[in-house]
Amino acid sequence: MSLIWRRHRTWVVPTLFIAPSIILFGVVIVASSLQSVWISFHDWDGFGPMQWIGLGNYEELLGDPQFYVSLKNNLIWLIIFMLAPPLGLAIALLVNQQIRGMRIVKSLFFVPLVLASVAVGIVFTWVYTPQFGLLALAFSAFGQKAPALLSDEHLVTFAIVIAAIWPQIAFCMVLYLAGINSLSEDLIGAGRVDGARGWNMLYHVVLPQLTQVTFIAIAITAIGALRSFDMISVMTQGGPFGSSQVLAYQMYEQSIFSYRFGYGAAIATILFIIMLVFILWYLSRIIRAEEWSN
Amino acid sequence: MLSLELKTIDKSFGAFRALKQVDLQVEKGEFIVMVGPSGCGKSTLLKTIAGLETPDSGEIIINGKDVTHAEPGDRGIAMVFQSYALYPHMSVAENMGFGLKMAKRPKAEIDAAVKRAAGILRLEDQLEKLPRQLSGGQRQRVAIGRAITRSPEVFLFDEPLSNLDAALRTQMRVELSTLHSRLDATMIYVTHDQIEAMTMASRIVVLNSGIIEQVGSPKQLYRNPDNYFVAGFLGAPRMNFFEAKVVGMRPGIAEIEVPAVGRIDIALNADAAPESGMTVAVGVRPESLRLAEGEEGFAAKIHLVEYLGRETIAYADASPLRCIGSETGTGNLTVHLPYVAELAAESTVRLTFDPNDIYLFGGKDRRTWSSAK
Amino acid sequence: MFPRPIPHTARGMRAIYMAMVIVILLIWLAPLFAIIMTSIRTSDDISMGNLWGWPTGFGLVENYVNVFTKTPMARYFVNSVVITIPSVIGVLILSTLAGYVLSRHKFRFSMLIFAIFIGGNFLPAQIMMIPVRDLMVQVGLYDTAWSLIIFHTAFQTGFATLFMRNFIAALPNELFEAAKAEGATSSQILMNVVVPLVRPALAALAILLFTFIWNDYFWAVVLTISDTVKPVTAGLANLRGEYVAAWNTISAATMIVAIPPVAMFFLMQRHFVAGLTMGAVKG
């Protein structure tokens, strides 16, 4: 008995160590995701039996105008969110000076990152509140009346994106600060000797060294933009009249409020496929870096 | 006109004073090597000349222009870093042309300069490659090429050979010396390796704890070191130092008593100031010691013998003669014989040296009071 | 250093620079200041429409006490703690075990597992929503703290395992080789070599996990309904629905939800930042 144990013990214990994580993650996360795809091929109200309808949900989606509104909004989210890395870099460059008190300032810039998304949503809803919000206050300083952003079909998505990008910029800032502080002193010295200054130094010497950081910032920002749910749920619930709808929220609405779980699953699957592009791109870069360093 | 002039350069990092009132004058075309132990300030001095560090006081004048507060790119200098510092995302050609690009020179001029440098350094076939595709030696040549294209007034080298293996280092030493004469450029070279200093320099600057101990040609520094530090720094194996006592004084001559050896008369330098009864340090280079004939000289017990192909180094205990500051075991003499000597460890031999080969050091600064003739 | 450091001697320049940075900081945090200021407005001021003028009274105590007495916020707060702490502990344990195996044992599927953990972390919550909810209903854990504890432990294990894996992989190989040469088993190496050395990583990870789990909103909304189970995030959203115009109360409630992670962050900034960069930059 002990002979068997000794022969196999090199792999038994590690397997036991890693098993709970793999099982939990596999069942709750991976299996669930695959199951959703399965459900998307059915018609289901959550109580009764599931009815196989093949691609029926998807056909309906293609004809659903709300779907296209959601897609359009997701695209707006993605594009505007791409401002987060450069703005994060700008703030990182701004605060990277050894002046007394700068450490506290850096921490304060990080704060939006630590706030709960629901808190950020409420904070900005308050900012946008007509007549009383901060926006109204700012406009009244110029003698103007602020637009009611959250009730305006054309501007609502932009208003929400600005709220959501606030913590995202802080995140990119953290990444870039770490990156800037691991730059090679010698390379910067070589740049200075070569006469590179200011913008030239940033573009030719610094940014190329930050490629890895930029890549991660963009990938995580893109994934964050597509996944956005909390802000819409807290600020507008998709309104007014579905104009701020995004795929993530539409899926939730269809499933929980309309009891159309199959249809919701189809929306989730579309979202998943779109995000898969970014996830696979990110994974391939990471794995390549891993294997290169091994 | 002087290529480079440093006037009373002082530089501190917090409480640590790295450079103390450094003065230096460099003529055009000289190959100056700055040597010294770790922490002596040589790299700091080089970076200050480059403009990567700003001195707390003093002036830096390059080719007649005061550049003390000028940007590194505006000083007419080019630098080769110890780590080469090649831009990893740029090709060899782009690396070498970057400085000119920053100076907004026309493309034709940049291409011509890059081609010329590549020709001198035999990099013509590597121009499109990235640094990571090159060997260490090739990367180093690109770093040098990057400096050449800028046609600087002064080339600065920060320990460029320390990352190379021994064989490559010897080869590069020759190449750099050749480059120097070909370009007829002023070069300031920092190293901790005194062999590089001795072989490459037109003049050596010896630094110690932020001050310049001595400046001179390799021959001058080796034959006539100004003080104990310089005498002990240049020359490998290191000069043997032992304590002796001044027992008599005559005009221009000091009579010293060396344990185990006896009394020796030493002709003094003009500024020497020994006094009777004083303890002084005597220096004898390992190559000045030889095996004695018959009963001359003094007895020494061989501790360890190292054969180096065509010469021998032996470490001997010649008590009561004891070496001070010796790295080879307390008190051991180092003997360097220019032939293969059949010496057995633990055997006793007799050693001797010519009194003319003695150095005398004394006083507060341990200045040289007598040099070998 | 980049950008170029402003020399210590240029005092005037440094002062002006700092002033400029502080102005930008104030604009950056303006929305937060607005909420903080509103959370100390008295109800009278609110009903009079005096939001930004000179306050007629100091409503700090009144508002915050109201949140705890007139709303279920106290209960929500307790729920959050009940959900977050066990989850964090669970993740720390599982991820250390799994991270250790992934970093020190090369086996056929390690790359695949690595990729699944990373990828899974980026999945949109919605793709798991229905089956997870369904699972909890069937197991009878729907609308209990356990459903959230199980979910968060499962989900965060992905990110946390990678984090610990990277950290353990960076430990000096000699330690492990020496231990193996002395005949130590895997579990002995884990307990005697790894655990003592990974404490800083665990601290950083604990703070990150606390923040992620405490701040979670989506799963709180999907898996809980009753006030007795809801954590503060879902609770706060509910409150907004009920107290639509009482902005002083809502602001105070928002602050209460926001404070624990912010406090933890300030107490352990270095760990937090180290954690984020370690986790993101290395994979």
Side-chain angles (χ1 to χ4, degrees), chain C residues 172-230:
Chain C
N173 285 327
E174 294 83 53
L175 291 172
F176 294 91
E177 283 160 16
K180 266 194 230 165
E182 286 173 36
T185 62
S186 279
S187 32
Q188 282 171 330
I189 296 181
L190 175 69
M191 294 312 298
N192 297 310
V193 177
V194 176
V195 169
L197 289 175
V198 296
R199 272 198 276 256
L202 287 177
L205 190 55
I207 298 171
L208 278 181
L209 290 171
F210 181 90
T211 306
F212 293 155
I213 298 175
W214 181 279
N215 288 347
D216 163 69
Y217 170 72
F218 180 76
W219 291 101
V221 162
V222 167
L223 293 177
T224 66
I225 297 196
S226 334
D227 279 352
T228 49
V229 185
K230 263 190 198 309

Side-chain angles (χ1 to χ4, degrees), chain B residues 106-158:
Chain B
K107 189 170 181 318
E109 186 184 324
I110 300 178
D111 286 344
V114 169
K115 239 175 116 174
R116 179 175 157 261
I120 297 175
L121 296 163
R122 301 186 323 277
L123 287 168
E124 298 100 328
D125 294 332
Q126 324 294 340
L127 285 176
E128 296 309 309
K129 292 212 184 139
L130 291 174
R132 65 163 182 268
Q133 297 169 299
L134 303 172
S135 69
Q138 287 172 320
R139 281 185 217 170
Q140 209 224 29
R141 275 186 266 140
V142 176
I144 297 173
R146 185 169 62 179
I148 292 178
T149 51
R150 304 193 62 235
S151 296
E153 175 67 32
V154 182
F155 281 85
L156 303 172
F157 293 88
D158 191 1

Side-chain angles (χ1 to χ4, degrees), chain C residues 142-154:
Chain C
Y142 178 73
D143 202 27
T144 67
W146 279 109
S147 65
L148 283 170
I149 294 176
I150 292 176
F151 179 79
H152 285 308
T153 306

Side-chain angles (χ1 to χ4, degrees), chain B residues 254-315:
Chain B
E255 196 184 349
I256 59 168
E257 166 111 37
V258 183
V261 181
R263 294 189 176 205
I264 312 178
D265 281 344
I266 309 229
L268 297 168
N269 291 343
D271 58 346
E275 283 160 37
S276 197
M278 205 185 231
T279 306
V280 289
V282 173
V284 179
R285 292 217 183 263
E287 62 265 26
S288 304
L289 289 166
R290 56 186 169 78
L291 291 175
E293 314 271 318
E295 286 302 309
E296 63 170 346
F298 55 94
K301 183 148 159 221
I302 303 291
H303 174 64
L304 177 68
V305 184
E306 290 174 341
Y307 291 106
L308 293 162
R310 56 174 172 173
E311 49 205 347
T312 316
I313 297 184
Y315 302 96

Side-chain angles (χ1 to χ4, degrees), chain A residues 36 94 98 107 132 185 234, chain C residues 1 14 17 127 240 269:
Chain A
S36 282
L94 183 72
Q98 306 257 37
S107 308
F132 302 117
E185 272 302 323
V234 171
Chain C
M1 260 272 282
R14 287 163 81 83
Y17 190 86
I127 195 69
R240 237 206 76 225
Q269 301 162 42

Side-chain angles (χ1 to χ4, degrees), chain C residues 97-112:
Chain C
L97 291 174
Y100 168 60
V101 172
L102 271 185
S103 68
R104 292 283 154 186
H105 299 74
K106 291 286 172 265
F107 55 97
R108 222 181 318 149
F109 297 115
S110 54
M111 236 347 145
L112 180 65

Side-chain angles (χ1 to χ4, degrees), chain A residues 21 25 32 36 94 96-98 107 109 114 126 132 166 178 180 185 216 227 233-234 252 272 282 290, chain C residues 1-2 4 6 14 17 28 38 51-52 94 122-123 126-127 131 154 165 215 217 221 240 269 277 280:
Chain A
S21 303
F25 196 79
S32 300
S36 282
L94 183 72
N96 202 34
Q97 286 284 348
Q98 306 257 37
S107 308
F109 268 106
V114 204
W126 176 227
F132 302 117
W166 195 42
I180 296 177
E185 272 302 323
I216 291 168
R227 284 210 283 199
S233 169
V234 171
Y252 171 76
F272 172 56
Y282 181 76
E290 274 296 313
Chain C
M1 260 272 282
F2 186 78
R4 189 102 62 77
I6 303 174
R14 287 163 81 83
Y17 190 86
W28 176 252
T38 310
L51 270 321
W52 306 110
L94 286 183
F122 287 131
L123 290 176
Q126 289 71 35
I127 195 69
R165 173 214 179 255
N215 288 347
Y217 170 72
V221 162
R240 237 206 76 225
Q269 301 162 42
T277 48

